[in-house]
Amino acid sequence: MLTLPANLRAFNTAPIYARTNGYVGRWLVDIGDKVARGQLLATLEAPELEQQLAAARADLKTAEANERLARTTAERWRAMLAKDAVSRQETDEKQGDLAARSAIADAARANVARLQATMDFTRLRAPFGGVVTSRTAELGALVTAGNSAAQPLFTVSDVSRMRAYVRVPQTYASQIRQGMQVELILPEYPGQTFAAELTRLAGAVDPGTGTMLVELQAANEDRALRPGSFAQARFPLAGGGKALAVPPSALLIDSDGARVALLGADGKAHFRPVTIGRDRGTVVEISKGIAAGDKVIDSPPDSLREGDRVQVLEDGTPEDGADAPAKG
């Protein structure tokens, strides 16, 4: 089994900000409340916007009245032109005036629609069904749209299904497959595991960490899993390929990289470069450089050199004048 740390996140999370300036008139939900898609969360009072919308509607009425008059005039002049009662130039001028009045009316309609859409933003609604996980809206508080420093008025999270993100070391990346069944372990539920499925792989190793990001998904009908929680993901892997474990004290790390000292069949020390797979604390996994059956010298002294003779002692304690001890 391979156990790695994981971060739990809601399947969907949406911070709800104000899209228009105003004051919080009322808020209808609080943290922990379940909400449905489109449910009203809060309403804002925007008196300035209301006045702008009223003025825009008045301008639209004026523009529509002018458009109607221009259309009637243009039709009359077109009828008189058919009887040669007016000149074509004057008739074309009336048609041009109608086109200009129609364009002004269209612009006024668009302005009313824009302000009406902005007015609709005073009613904050849930974008999807979920749970309210944060609320900063306070009655009468001033909210300003477009303020990057402002906190969201609400945060809605869909926790019916959870995502877990895990960074898998490069050593194990070749063994990870989409659809793999993984177990999640949380410290608040000792002895209990949660089933998850590996749904996505980044497909690339981060050069900064040497790991590949993968995504797990787990059902969460009982809401036992909470967004932001720390968990452990247990993958059904036998080990990191051909990785072997050695104590950290057996490693020699210098400008040449990581090495270990081996006791050869000739009874002498031989240094071999190794590739570290994963540090598990009490032991370090070596993915390349040694094989099963190699005799690794634990805690080799700094004075040990290539080809030095090594004496193996049963109790691991060197005698006076003895060579470096070795452990098989």
Side-chain angles (χ1 to χ4, degrees):
M1 287 289 183
L2 171 65
T3 304
L4 297 172
N7 293 319
L8 297 184
R9 299 182 188 176
F11 191 75
N12 284 310
T13 299
I16 310 299
Y17 291 90
R19 290 289 304 275
T20 185
N21 300 337
Y23 299 89
V24 178
R26 57 175 180 158
W27 50 269
L28 307 174
V29 296
D30 209 339
I31 57 173
D33 290 346
K34 292 183 179 180
V35 295
R37 177 184 175 88
Q39 181 175 336
L40 187 63
L41 306 179
T43 59
L44 305 180
E45 296 178 356
E48 293 181 358
L49 182 59
E50 292 175 357
Q51 293 299 320
Q52 292 175 9
L53 180 58
R57 285 172 174 166
D59 292 341
L60 175 59
K61 289 181 179 180
T62 301
E64 289 176 340
N66 291 334
E67 181 186 19
R68 288 193 296 270
L69 177 60
R71 179 174 289 105
T72 300
T73 302
E75 291 173 353
R76 289 173 179 172
W77 281 74
R78 189 165 49 249
M80 288 188 292
L81 177 64
K83 299 177 181 179
D84 293 328
V86 294
S87 67
R88 180 171 294 279
Q89 176 63 32
E90 291 175 318
T91 302
D92 290 344
E93 289 177 356
K94 300 304 180 182
Q95 295 294 332
D97 183 61
L98 172 60
R101 299 292 183 180
S102 296
I104 293 174
D106 289 341
R109 292 189 192 94
N111 189 41
V112 170
R114 178 184 65 84
L115 292 173
Q116 184 62 60
T118 305
M119 194 69 187
D120 292 340
F121 291 142
T122 60
R123 300 174 66 84
L124 305 181
R125 298 183 180 277
F128 47 78
V131 178
V132 178
T133 55
S134 75
R135 177 190 64 82
T136 61
E138 296 293 345
L139 191 64
L142 173 66
V143 293
T144 305
N147 185 2
S148 59
Q151 292 182 325
L153 298 179
F154 298 92
T155 301
V156 177
S157 299
D158 179 6
V159 296
S160 61
R161 191 167 182 83
M162 300 294 292
R163 303 179 194 264
Y165 291 94
V166 185
R167 293 193 174 273
V168 178
Q170 179 181 349
T171 307
Y172 302 91
S174 62
Q175 303 181 65
I176 299 298
R177 296 287 184 272
Q178 190 169 355
M180 177 181 290
Q181 298 301 309
V182 183
E183 293 180 343
L184 294 177
I185 305 171
L186 279 75
E188 62 265 38
Y189 300 109
Q192 184 178 354
T193 60
F194 298 86
E197 180 182 355
L198 198 153
T199 55
R200 293 183 181 274
L201 300 86
V205 175
D206 185 348
T209 61
T211 59
M212 180 179 68
L213 183 65
V214 301
E215 177 188 299
L216 312 176
Q217 291 188 16
N220 191 36
E221 290 83 358
D222 57 357
R223 295 172 60 180
L225 303 177
R226 299 178 178 86
S229 298
F230 168 80
Q232 289 183 315
R234 191 159 61 189
F235 294 81
L237 303 181
K242 298 180 180 180
L244 298 175
V246 300
S249 56
L251 290 175
L252 297 170
I253 301 178
D254 51 25
S255 58
D256 296 329
R259 299 180 298 159
V260 294
L262 302 179
L263 175 62
D266 55 0
K268 297 180 180 180
H270 300 283
F271 292 92
R272 185 177 298 175
V274 295
T275 301
I276 299 176
R278 186 166 67 108
D279 187 349
R280 291 162 48 187
T282 57
V283 294
V284 176
E285 292 183 354
I286 305 299
S287 60
K288 183 179 179 182
I290 60 174
D294 285 342
K295 296 181 178 180
V296 179
I297 301 175
D298 191 11
S299 302
D302 295 338
S303 59
L304 185 64
R305 295 292 180 265
E306 178 72 22
D308 286 353
R309 182 167 295 279
V310 178
Q311 181 181 359
V312 179
L313 301 179
E314 294 298 333
D315 59 1
T317 304
E319 298 177 353
D320 294 339
D323 295 332
K327 297 181 179 178

